[in-house]
Amino acid sequence: MKKGSMILIGIVVVIAICVIAAISSYNGFVSAEENVNQKYSNIDTQLQRRVDLIPNLVNTVKGYASHEKEVIKDVSDARAKLAGAKTPEDQAAANDNLSGALSRLLVVVEKYPDLKANQNFQQLMDELAGTENRIAVARKDYNDEVAVYNKKVKRFPGAMMAGMFGFDQKQYFKAQNGAEEAPKVDFEGNGQ
């Protein structure tokens, strides 16, 4: 074989290896991004379940605590914000807002022992608690998948391929600042 033919074969082999590596890298990014999207969809599903449970809970409480309109309105407004949130960051903020409103609603419930004993109310609270647990698991799964994806996007040589193919880092589903503190519950009504 001639020297020129060997060089040409070498160049073709190197180009083929580079093309195969690029295709493999691209497909890896597509798979990782789809995993993130699937996990996000799981959060979205659980948040929607939560949003769907709220009207039943509010209507049950309304029957017993009709003069607690402000708290009920806060829960309804927070629910609407969560239903309208689109990004993980907006959903996390709206979810925290709804959690706070629900905490205030539960303080109101404490004033009505008949409501706490109501079977419909208890069933709704159990469903809501189950949904809260599912949301926590879905958030953890999503954040774990985002970590895998973001590492792939940031590490060399993935960073070069990610930039070339337009794969950007994903946002974590984070709680708002101050969410790590439990809400203050005041049964005395004195605000302290």
Side-chain angles (χ1 to χ4, degrees):
M1 273 191 143
K2 293 183 179 178
K3 187 176 181 181
S5 297
M6 294 291 281
I7 292 174
L8 183 59
I9 291 173
I11 291 173
V12 168
V13 167
V14 167
I15 290 173
I17 290 172
C18 289
V19 167
I20 290 170
I23 290 171
S24 176
S25 181
Y26 178 82
N27 288 339
F29 281 115
V30 169
S31 295
E33 187 173 50
E34 280 305 308
N35 289 342
V36 168
N37 291 341
Q38 178 206 8
K39 299 298 182 183
Y40 182 71
S41 178
N42 292 345
I43 291 174
D44 210 29
T45 299
Q46 295 308 321
L47 290 176
Q48 184 61 50
R49 176 182 161 87
R50 186 181 195 209
V51 165
D52 293 344
L53 285 172
I54 300 300
N56 295 332
L57 183 65
V58 167
N59 287 334
T60 302
V61 173
K62 270 184 189 177
Y64 282 86
S66 59
H67 61 282
E68 304 286 355
K69 290 182 180 169
E70 183 179 334
V71 173
I72 292 169
K73 182 182 180 320
D74 289 348
V75 171
S76 296
D77 291 348
R79 175 190 177 268
K81 285 181 185 173
L82 180 57
K86 299 294 181 214
T87 66
E89 193 172 63
D90 290 345
Q91 283 184 322
N95 186 49
D96 291 341
N97 188 16
L98 181 57
S99 293
L102 285 172
S103 294
R104 291 187 297 279
L105 181 67
L106 295 179
V107 169
V108 167
V109 168
E110 291 297 321
K111 297 178 187 176
Y112 300 93
D114 290 343
L115 174 60
K116 287 180 8 180
N118 178 287
Q119 183 178 353
N120 189 31
F121 177 77
Q122 285 301 320
Q123 181 182 358
L124 287 168
M125 291 306 296
D126 290 344
E127 286 185 43
L128 192 58
T131 300
E132 296 297 332
N133 290 336
R134 288 184 191 105
I135 290 170
V137 169
R139 284 173 67 162
K140 181 199 174 304
D141 290 348
Y142 170 78
N143 285 340
D144 289 348
E145 204 61 50
V146 167
V148 169
Y149 175 82
N150 284 348
K151 287 175 191 173
K152 190 173 183 74
V153 168
K154 291 167 119 178
R155 289 183 179 157
F156 183 81
M160 290 179 5
M161 294 295 180
M164 227 185 325
F165 295 128
F167 291 98
D168 297 323
Q169 290 186 54
K170 301 289 184 183
Q171 293 178 348
Y172 287 96
F173 199 102
K174 295 188 231 175
Q176 282 185 313
N177 292 337
E180 66 278 359
E181 294 179 26
K184 292 184 171 87
V185 178
D186 178 17
F187 292 109
E188 303 299 318
N190 60 12
Q192 294 181 357

